Amino acid sequence: MTVVEQSPGQSQVQPKRVGFISLGCPKALVDSERILTQLRIEGYEVAPSYEGADAVIVNTCGFITPAVEESLSAIGEALEHGGKVIVTGCLGERPEKIMERHPKVAAITGSEAVDDVMGHVRELLPLDQHAFTGLLPVAAPGTRADALAPAREETRHGDVFAPTVRLTPRHYAYVKIAEGCNHTCAFCIIPKLRGLQVSRDAGAVLYEAYRLIAGGTKELMIISQDTSAYGVDLRYRESEFQGGQVRAHLTDLAVKLGEMGAWVRMHYVYPYPHVEKIVELMAQGKILPYLDVPLQHASPRILKLMRRPGAGKQLATIQRWREICPELTIRSTFIVGFPGETEEDFQELLQFLEDARLDRVGAFPYSDVEEADANALPGAVPEEVKAERLERFMEVAQRISTERLAEKVGRVMDVIIDEFNDDEGDEKGTRLIGRTQGDAPGIDGQVYLFAGEFAGQVNIGDIVRARIEDSDEYDLFGEVVERPAWKPNVPQLGHFRGH
């Protein structure tokens, strides 16, 4: 081994440290992962706290008023600690709102702006020049060393730049397949913040999924603003994957993802006709029988005011899906108190809940979003009425969830383990917390398990078989009965083989 000693005139290079705050939805989380990946590529260290951070990046959310306030508070907290603050993300598309509250921020960029963020980082925190590494060129975000300029522009939505730094546990990951949205929903300003839909080529998505699974990831969450519309902007063009050609269409993508052998979970799916083909894949066991469908309301009149697609057809669509795949779990979100919502409209929403019997339901009261068209609609619902309707809505949703979960008692189900839940004095790994195929991390229920004879043998990220013995409003309880080996159809890196 050759040891290179530091010369007397050569000072030790001190790394620059950047703190990071990531707010908002999983789509924003993927943006954060890309920025963190580029920071590491260029030699910056990520500070775990404000102390020791030379600068702080805040990736913001600007979708609804509470999210805007949370973002502004996070920016203020970072500034209070005396650091240089760079703001990015959805709220960054409204720099005047940020500057009004926090004029001392160092820089502001919009969403999906890895290049711009890194430019500001380099300006604020130029890296010390090392005698050897200082001669190396700085890589543009998402590029290969031999990439030509046009190819670099194509990486703006991640066609090459899949993140290697992850903000999720190793066993699951979010894979963003498109950015932006073509809808003009009255309550939403996402197209104004993130632009119209821009899809990634199918080959880029599949290679990212392949790499993740090879590294030990067992569950992929497929996300975008409108997952059902994936590839429309590309006219479903083909791209290369492992010597073949794959269309940029959700059905084709789901088929290829399903062949890799990991759990594949679909989020933000609009009820378009071709989603029926996706449900058929679920019935065949190719991808998870789970759909996250943001329905928002059930009254045809309110849906038209919202400018939502599929008004009046939601129940028939859900019934058809369940005929194809009886095991299907459906989660959705709803808005109560939208401008013009009458008690009759609300009762129609409650009746829809009773008829559709959705497994997982979230709701929030309507709030004005700056620049949203809904702000100009007549018939604003008083705040106290919104709160009362939200309470009634959640009472119905909770009862249905309780009934749906009770139907699972006595069954043996696959459960992916997210964490240990040992009491003091327990043998390590005696109590476990996981999720069924019908539960997404962070938003759905959990399964609380006794490991039984498998105590100490089950690891975080394992997929076990568990007998469900009890249930409550949102969660299941049971015991591990089997620990099968996980065998995906993707070659595993050496230290990720087996469990």
Side-chain angles (χ1 to χ4, degrees):
M1 180 178 66
T2 303
V3 177
V4 179
E5 296 184 358
Q6 185 176 329
S7 63
Q10 184 179 341
S11 62
Q12 182 69 35
V13 175
Q14 295 298 318
K16 297 295 193 300
R17 295 166 61 84
V18 180
F20 205 102
I21 300 171
S22 183
L23 304 172
C25 65
K27 296 179 285 293
L29 182 139
V30 173
D31 293 343
S32 295
E33 290 177 336
R34 290 173 177 168
I35 295 170
L36 288 166
T37 296
Q38 192 63 31
L39 285 169
R40 178 148 63 171
I41 288 172
E42 296 192 18
Y44 292 93
E45 289 189 2
V46 178
S49 63
Y50 292 116
E51 288 72 25
D54 300 299
V56 176
I57 299 171
V58 182
N59 191 5
T60 60
C61 180
F63 181 48
I64 57 177
T65 301
V68 170
E69 286 303 314
E70 180 186 22
S71 295
L72 290 172
S73 295
I75 295 167
E77 181 180 289
L79 287 168
E80 286 175 5
H81 284 78
K84 304 170 183 177
V85 177
I86 300 170
V87 180
T88 187
C90 285
L91 189 58
E93 301 286 351
R94 300 290 181 266
E96 69 285 350
K97 180 176 288 292
I98 297 168
M99 294 301 293
E100 180 182 356
R101 181 86 67 90
H102 301 299
K104 293 184 179 180
V105 296
I108 300 173
T109 77
S111 60
E112 268 234 318
V114 181
D115 292 307
D116 294 337
V117 170
M118 291 308 303
H120 291 303
V121 170
R122 296 184 202 113
E123 182 179 346
L124 292 172
L125 303 176
L127 290 172
D128 296 325
Q129 293 297 302
H130 189 279
F132 300 106
T133 60
L135 299 176
L136 298 175
V138 174
T143 63
R144 302 178 301 271
D146 59 347
L148 301 175
R152 289 176 181 162
E153 178 60 25
E154 290 170 5
T155 68
R156 188 169 69 92
H157 291 286
D159 287 345
V160 173
F161 187 31
T164 56
V165 173
R166 302 250 306 273
L167 296 176
T168 57
R170 194 191 79 200
H171 62 282
Y172 67 79
Y174 294 98
V175 177
K176 184 157 61 171
I177 63 174
E179 184 57 76
C181 184
N182 292 337
H183 292 292
T184 59
C185 300
F187 55 83
C188 181
I189 58 171
I190 290 296
K192 296 178 182 178
L193 296 178
R194 290 182 171 259
L196 297 179
Q197 177 151 321
V198 179
S199 301
R200 299 172 62 189
D201 278 321
V205 175
L206 292 169
Y207 276 120
E208 179 181 353
Y210 192 93
R211 175 182 60 79
L212 286 166
I213 297 170
T217 300
K218 298 180 180 178
E219 179 181 10
L220 303 177
M221 266 81 68
I222 307 305
I223 60 172
S224 67
Q225 202 64 42
D226 178 3
T227 298
S228 302
Y230 168 68
V232 169
D233 53 296
L234 300 179
R235 298 184 180 180
Y236 308 121
R237 73 186 181 198
E238 294 183 336
S239 56
E240 185 275 335
F241 177 66
Q242 294 187 329
Q245 295 292 309
V246 184
R247 283 197 314 159
H249 189 284
L250 187 60
T251 305
D252 300 56
L253 186 69
V255 168
K256 287 294 185 182
L257 288 169
E259 292 173 354
M260 295 184 189
W263 283 16
V264 177
R265 190 182 300 280
M266 294 286 178
H267 286 272
Y268 315 117
V269 176
Y270 281 66
Y272 298 167
H274 69 269
V275 173
E276 193 168 298
K277 298 292 185 183
I278 303 298
V279 178
E280 290 175 2
L281 293 174
M282 296 175 181
Q284 297 164 17
K286 302 294 180 62
I287 63 175
L288 294 187
Y290 178 99
L291 281 177
D292 179 349
V293 188
L295 296 173
Q296 308 300 2
H297 213 280
S299 163
R301 192 180 73 84
I302 296 300
L303 287 168
K304 288 178 181 177
L305 287 175
M306 289 179 168
R307 298 202 293 261
R308 297 289 290 176
K313 301 177 181 178
Q314 296 170 325
L315 185 58
T317 299
I318 289 170
Q319 290 171 339
R320 175 59 181 153
W321 288 346
R322 284 194 168 136
E323 288 174 2
I324 297 170
C325 182
E327 293 295 310
L328 178 63
T329 294
I330 301 175
R331 105 164 317 273
S332 190
T333 51
F334 295 87
I335 298 172
V336 299
F338 189 79
E341 182 190 67
T342 64
E343 179 62 24
E344 182 180 357
D345 294 317
F346 181 68
Q347 287 296 330
E348 196 164 357
L349 175 57
L350 293 183
Q351 187 58 52
F352 172 81
L353 279 186
E354 298 282 7
D355 295 338
R357 296 184 63 77
L358 302 177
D359 302 88
R360 302 296 191 187
V361 172
F364 56 91
Y366 172 79
S367 62
D368 287 343
V369 176
E370 188 175 341
E371 296 188 42
D373 294 344
N375 298 344
L377 291 174
V381 178
E383 292 300 320
E384 60 272 18
V385 176
K386 292 180 189 177
E388 185 266 343
R389 287 179 181 172
L390 178 61
E391 183 177 356
R392 288 158 61 195
F393 178 95
M394 292 310 299
E395 285 177 357
V396 174
Q398 185 181 78
R399 173 173 53 78
I400 293 171
S401 174
T402 302
E403 294 168 354
R404 296 285 287 174
L405 289 175
E407 296 170 2
K408 302 184 189 314
V409 174
R411 296 178 54 186
V412 174
M413 308 182 73
D414 289 339
V415 176
I416 190 166
I417 303 303
D418 288 330
E419 56 183 304
F420 296 126
N421 190 36
D422 297 324
D423 289 338
E424 186 176 353
D426 281 342
E427 178 186 352
K428 183 179 179 182
T430 297
R431 302 170 189 263
L432 311 165
I433 301 177
R435 293 173 288 107
T436 70
Q437 294 185 350
D439 300 301
I443 56 174
D444 294 328
Q446 295 176 306
V447 186
Y448 293 83
L449 296 176
F450 283 102
E453 63 180 280
F454 298 95
Q457 301 176 39
V458 179
N459 301 312
I460 302 298
D462 280 357
I463 297 175
V464 301
R465 301 281 287 162
R467 180 180 294 107
I468 305 304
E469 299 171 340
D470 200 0
S471 64
D472 61 15
E473 297 92 336
Y474 300 114
D475 301 316
L476 297 170
F477 305 84
E479 184 171 351
V480 177
V481 296
E482 186 182 357
R483 184 175 175 255
W486 184 60
K487 297 179 180 178
N489 298 321
V490 171
Q492 298 287 280
L493 301 177
H495 56 298
F496 294 130
R497 290 176 185 154
H499 295 287

